[in-house]
Amino acid sequence: MNIAAYCRVSTDKSDQLNSLEAQKKFFTEYTEKNGHNLVRLYADEGISGTKIKNRKEFLRLMRDAKHGLFDMVVVKDISRFARNTVDLLQSIRTLKALGIETTFLTANMTVLGQSEFVLTIFGALAQEESANTSKRVKFGKKMNAEKGRVPNIVYGYDKTIGDYFNLAINEGEARIVKQIYDWYLNEGYGAAKIANMLNERGLKTKRNCSFSQNAVCRILTNELYTGKIINGKQEVTDFLTGTRAEKDESEWFVTDRPDLRIIEPEQFDRAQEILHGRHDTFRIKHERQSNKYLFSTLIKCKECGWSFRRTVRTYKNTYVRWVCSRHNGKGADSCPNAVTVDEDDLIRALEEYFAGLLKAKKNIISYVVKEFTKIYKAKDDNENYEKGLNDQLAKLKKTRQKYMDMYTDDLISRQELNEKIGGMKSEMERLENELKLVQYNLDKGDQLEDIIKKTFQSIEDITSVRDMTNEQLKQIIQKIEVDKDGNVDIYLRLLGDLGLDENALIIDNHT
């Protein structure tokens, strides 16, 4: 008889793979002993039995069955065939309809001659065993999370020899992590550009792969680099489908490990703000972050809000111009701005703009100080307000912790806990955001003179706008707006950073 054998192991660990080799050897000996012809051995390695769609060899077996390549399927145990009762019965019925016998050797069961009820019982037992395994795995992960363990591999860290769960900083990789944050925060490079720069240097990820945009983003969003281990953000809600659900922040397991800090928390927070800002900008305004050319993403269309794009035309001479990307790509119906801005003309306008700023330096400094003081009032008022916010936040945290302790001691149920602290989370977030804003304003007030001096020093250091990089220009210029009549408005970043009226120092130029 022509037979097919199927075997499976659920992980790719060495001991399980040894089990797979043992299963293969078993079927070879079985066919020789019983005088059958083994047409093919189908073997899935490192695949769970709860979902058929991921088991390529099993799916291949079912396809070959429809082509009549064999008369019987031999499986050592029901759990190797499937740990999902529904999948088990559907697969068995499909084979039965094709006239193919399925034999489970350890149970001494041949499907064509057995009641489906008996098969269902065996399948249910296999599924229950898988459910219990899932529970044990979840329990183990919970224990590891509570102890602040990190089972995964993270760039910038090495596993401690003899201790799978603990990390130690890899100084060489830590320098690269710091470089990535510096490029992103201070140089203005995007994740894709950073990945290319790392690959050009011949650097590899922890798994010895080339860097990708996603790999860089994972580094920029991993809070572990600030010395904070966060576990339990998600949990598997259905072991059969592998469906995951986000858990409430109050259920996360957070462990502070200052010894693992590579990046300061303030740097990490700034990176998140930039990431979210760029995502929202692209989603709402279809504007990508770029620093490829001098004016990349700096020139904005006043009519539609989209960025201008660079075009190059060669006719006797080479002309570099900038046009509205929406008008240029989607036509006049999308945006009426048909203005083309000559790059050389814009460079000259900028140089005149900077010269005008330096000439009016004293008046500008006087204006900035006056407006900032008027908007943010006295420093004492802000400090008193900050103290009030901190008191409110501390009170909320104390109350929340009280209810958490009551839940831990089984004095209240999970539902009662959620009812007690449900509204506190949003209120605490509001207070924390308000504190950040107040502190930001206080810090800016203290650093006002330094900020102004630094801005003017950057302008004075400019020898040629043409020789500047996009990142350098963005540190001085907030944006350059162009309307459909050809008016070019240049906005100084200093005012935007201080929260002042950006229109105060506009210089109008006609192209």
Side-chain angles (χ1 to χ4, degrees), residues 5 32 36 50 121-123 151 157 170 205 210 233 235 256 268 277 310 329 367 372 391 399-400 407-408 427 447 488:
E32 291 176 355
H36 296 308
T50 57
I121 296 299
F122 276 93
Y157 302 93
N170 180 311
T205 67
S210 297
K233 287 186 176 182
E235 68 175 348
D256 288 321
F268 181 83
R310 188 176 189 264
Y367 163 80
F372 187 87
D391 291 343
T399 303
R400 182 177 179 274
Y407 172 71
T408 303
E427 179 62 14
Q447 301 166 12
V488 180

Side-chain angles (χ1 to χ4, degrees), residues 184-456:
Y184 193 74
L185 297 175
N186 302 322
E187 301 295 331
Y189 292 119
K193 174 68 174 178
I194 291 173
N196 291 336
M197 293 165 69
L198 294 171
N199 291 330
E200 288 171 0
R201 294 186 178 191
L203 298 171
K204 297 292 183 180
T205 67
K206 204 69 173 175
R207 299 184 186 276
N208 201 35
C209 300
S210 297
F211 276 91
S212 64
Q213 181 178 358
N214 286 339
V216 173
C217 284
R218 281 195 296 271
I219 290 174
L220 291 170
T221 56
N222 192 341
E223 210 161 352
L224 176 61
Y225 295 114
T226 67
K228 183 181 290 185
I229 300 173
I230 302 178
N231 285 312
K233 287 186 176 182
Q234 294 181 332
E235 68 175 348
V236 176
T237 55
D238 187 340
F239 77 95
L240 293 176
T241 61
T243 304
R244 291 179 172 271
E246 299 290 336
K247 295 176 67 176
D248 186 82
E249 189 173 342
S250 63
E251 299 181 67
W252 294 358
F253 296 99
V254 182
T255 305
D256 288 321
R257 288 284 303 277
D259 57 303
L260 296 180
R261 180 174 296 170
I262 295 175
I263 298 298
E264 293 302 316
E266 294 77 14
Q267 292 177 287
F268 181 83
D269 291 341
R270 280 177 56 207
Q272 307 323 297
E273 290 175 7
I274 295 173
L275 274 167
H276 295 147
R278 290 180 178 179
H279 172 76
D280 292 341
T281 299
F282 177 71
R283 180 171 55 84
I284 297 171
K285 299 181 181 179
H286 303 278
E287 177 186 304
R288 293 186 183 277
Q289 180 66 23
S290 174
N291 48 31
K292 189 174 183 180
Y293 302 109
L294 177 61
F295 295 111
S296 292
T297 68
L298 260 175
I299 309 174
K300 311 292 183 185
C301 175
K302 200 167 186 177
E303 311 302 326
C304 69
W306 285 36
S307 294
F308 270 47
R309 61 182 293 186
R310 188 176 189 264
T311 62
V312 180
R313 296 285 184 271
T314 302
Y315 178 72
K316 293 184 178 179
N317 294 315
T318 298
Y319 301 94
V320 179
R321 296 188 172 96
W322 292 80
V323 298
C324 171
S325 56
R326 186 170 191 176
H327 177 90
N328 185 255
K330 295 180 178 290
D333 292 338
S334 297
C335 177
N337 194 345
V339 171
T340 61
V341 179
D342 186 89
E343 187 169 276
D344 289 336
D345 290 344
L346 186 54
I347 289 173
R348 281 194 292 272
L350 268 177
E351 289 176 342
E352 292 175 7
Y353 175 70
F354 291 143
L357 288 176
L358 292 175
K359 190 175 181 180
K361 180 177 177 180
K362 289 184 179 180
N363 292 335
I364 292 173
I365 292 175
S366 176
Y367 163 80
V368 171
V369 172
K370 179 181 176 182
E371 287 298 307
F372 187 87
T373 304
K374 183 169 66 176
I375 291 174
Y376 295 112
K377 301 179 183 179
K379 181 177 178 181
D380 289 342
D381 292 341
N382 278 294
E383 288 178 341
N384 291 332
Y385 183 50
E386 181 186 21
K387 183 178 183 302
L389 290 174
N390 274 316
D391 291 343
Q392 292 180 58
L393 185 60
K395 186 176 179 180
L396 275 176
K397 287 182 176 180
K398 185 177 179 180
T399 303
R400 182 177 179 274
Q401 187 59 49
K402 180 184 74 173
Y403 288 122
M404 291 290 290
D405 292 340
M406 291 174 67
Y407 172 71
T408 303
D409 295 335
D410 292 328
L411 297 176
I412 57 175
S413 65
R414 165 62 67 178
Q415 181 179 350
E416 289 173 320
L417 174 66
N418 291 335
E419 290 174 355
K420 296 289 187 183
I421 69 173
M424 291 184 187
K425 181 181 176 183
S426 58
E427 179 62 14
M428 288 168 64
E429 288 177 349
R430 185 191 70 78
L431 291 170
E432 287 171 348
N433 289 333
E434 190 70 19
L435 274 168
K436 286 180 181 179
L437 182 62
V438 172
Q439 187 58 54
Y440 180 57
N441 292 335
L442 286 170
D443 291 343
K444 284 194 299 187
D446 292 337
Q447 301 166 12
L448 181 59
E449 187 176 347
D450 289 338
I451 292 173
I452 297 173
K453 286 181 178 179
K454 184 178 180 182
T455 299
F456 276 100

Side-chain angles (χ1 to χ4, degrees), residues 31-181:
T31 53
E32 291 176 355
K33 181 179 178 181
N34 291 277
H36 296 308
N37 176 37
L38 182 61
V39 176
R40 182 178 174 85
L41 176 64
Y42 300 85
D44 281 311
E45 300 180 16
I47 302 295
S48 169
T50 57
K51 297 185 289 292
I52 282 181
K53 66 178 181 179
N54 296 331
R55 296 158 62 190
K56 294 181 180 179
E57 283 294 283
F58 183 85
L59 293 173
R60 184 175 181 179
L61 180 148
M62 299 302 292
R63 289 196 300 270
D64 290 349
K66 293 176 181 178
H67 291 97
L69 297 186
F70 43 80
D71 306 306
M72 182 171 69
V73 176
V74 180
V75 187
K76 191 173 182 181
D77 186 78
I78 289 177
S79 64
R80 299 299 91 197
F81 200 69
R83 286 191 179 274
N84 183 325
T85 306
V86 174
D87 288 343
L88 171 67
L89 293 177
Q90 287 178 343
S91 302
I92 291 298
R93 288 168 183 167
T94 299
L95 293 171
K96 186 184 290 188
L98 296 171
I100 296 176
E101 186 175 313
T102 306
T103 299
F104 299 105
L105 300 177
T106 55
N108 193 26
M109 180 185 293
T110 301
V111 172
L112 289 181
Q114 296 285 344
S115 165
E116 193 174 274
F117 172 75
V118 177
L119 188 64
T120 303
I121 296 299
F122 276 93
L125 291 173
Q127 180 172 310
E128 184 61 24
E129 182 183 343
S130 186
N132 289 332
T133 300
S134 176
K135 291 176 183 177
R136 289 194 296 270
V137 170
K138 287 174 71 174
F139 178 76
K141 287 185 175 180
K142 181 181 178 182
M143 295 299 295
N144 291 332
E146 289 177 348
K147 295 177 180 179
R149 292 172 169 175
V150 185
N152 50 316
I153 299 174
V154 184
Y155 188 84
Y157 302 93
D158 292 326
K159 292 289 183 183
T160 302
I161 297 175
D163 191 344
Y164 175 70
F165 290 105
N166 280 318
L167 302 176
I169 292 178
N170 180 311
E171 295 299 337
E173 292 177 356
R175 284 193 292 272
I176 301 302
V177 171
K178 291 178 181 178
Q179 180 67 76
I180 289 171
Y181 274 82

